[in-house]
Amino acid sequence: MRILVVEDDPVLLDGLSAGLGLAGFTVDAVATCEDAYAALKAQSYGTVVLDLMLPDGSGLDVLSFLRQRKNATPVVLLTARDQVQDRIAGLDAGADDYVGKPFDLDELAARVRAAARRGAGHASGILEWCGVALDPARQTASFEGKPLSLTRREFGVLRALMERPGATVPKAMLEDSLYGWQEEVESNAVEVHVHNLRSKLGAGFIKTVRGLGYRLAEEGS
């Protein structure tokens, strides 16, 4: 899942990018409101991690920018301002969660996963479809009860499809979920990942919808 992190402290921003990357997220990182606006205009994200105190404004301005455009992307506020009234103001402005500094990175990753899960309408943290189970928290997978070895990209493709069972997911959306700004995307990258997944899960597990994208096989098919 691709997320946007907005944080003006360069050391903390690097740490968040690295830590959340290791937790399985594709991370785009910016340090100002203006850069956040540009990113949000150009890209869809699974979740936004948003610092409140930024050099050119407040994170609440960025949050308002999103909500005024009817953009329901989950937002986790991250700030040293952790008074009750601050939390109330952030949540009432449309945030989905509020994490005070200092924080535990594993807990932040869990809160990002939870916010994204609620945003997508999933109650369980485990994604299941046709004998495959994905655990985004542990980044583990199984097929018919047996451990399934997947690369990070393969896991990302399968996760993006299993978060939208029954839907056709465009190739561009899969690429966006897998690759950040600094990563070059080869033209056939998604095709290669899908080919590898089919070799592990069966040729019919992922269907190609010509000209539109990919979708999972129907349950029971």
Side-chain angles (χ1 to χ4, degrees), residues 1-21 25-40 43 45 47-51 54 78 176 179-183:
M1 181 174 65
R2 190 167 179 172
I3 65 173
L4 178 67
V5 176
V6 188
E7 165 62 56
D8 68 322
D9 183 322
V11 174
L12 183 53
L13 186 60
D14 286 347
L16 284 168
S17 298
L20 291 173
F25 299 105
T26 299
V27 181
D28 290 339
V30 298
T32 66
C33 292
E34 286 303 315
D35 285 345
Y37 296 145
L40 292 166
Q43 181 68 49
Y45 291 98
T47 300
V48 177
V49 177
L50 180 60
D51 187 19
L54 297 167
L78 185 65
D176 283 347
Y179 297 94
W181 292 330
Q182 308 302 322
E183 298 173 293

Side-chain angles (χ1 to χ4, degrees), residues 1 5 7 28 31-32 46 49 51 59 82 86 92 118 134-135 153 161 195-196 198 215 217:
M1 181 174 65
V5 176
E7 165 62 56
D28 290 339
T32 66
V49 177
D51 187 19
D82 196 26
D86 294 324
D92 282 348
R118 289 194 298 271
L134 288 188
D135 184 344
R153 305 291 194 203
L161 292 169
H195 170 80
N196 292 338
R198 284 170 173 158
R215 65 174 173 80

Side-chain angles (χ1 to χ4, degrees), residues 94-132:
D96 298 82
D97 203 352
Y98 198 109
V99 177
K101 298 176 182 177
F103 56 88
D104 183 276
L105 187 58
D106 288 338
E107 180 185 356
L108 176 62
R111 287 178 180 270
V112 171
R113 285 191 296 269
R117 187 168 63 243
R118 289 194 298 271
H122 296 294
S124 172
I126 307 296
L127 298 169
E128 296 182 275
W129 190 261
C130 291
V132 174

Side-chain angles (χ1 to χ4, degrees), residues 14 25 30 42 47 49 67-69 79 83-84 119 139 154 156 159 173 195 201 204 214 216 219:
D14 286 347
F25 299 105
V30 298
T47 300
V49 177
R67 299 305 185 235
Q68 287 178 1
R69 284 159 178 75
T79 180
Q83 299 301 309
V84 171
Q139 298 182 66
E154 291 165 5
R159 176 179 180 174
M173 183 179 291
H195 170 80
L201 301 172
Y214 300 92
L216 298 177
E219 283 191 303

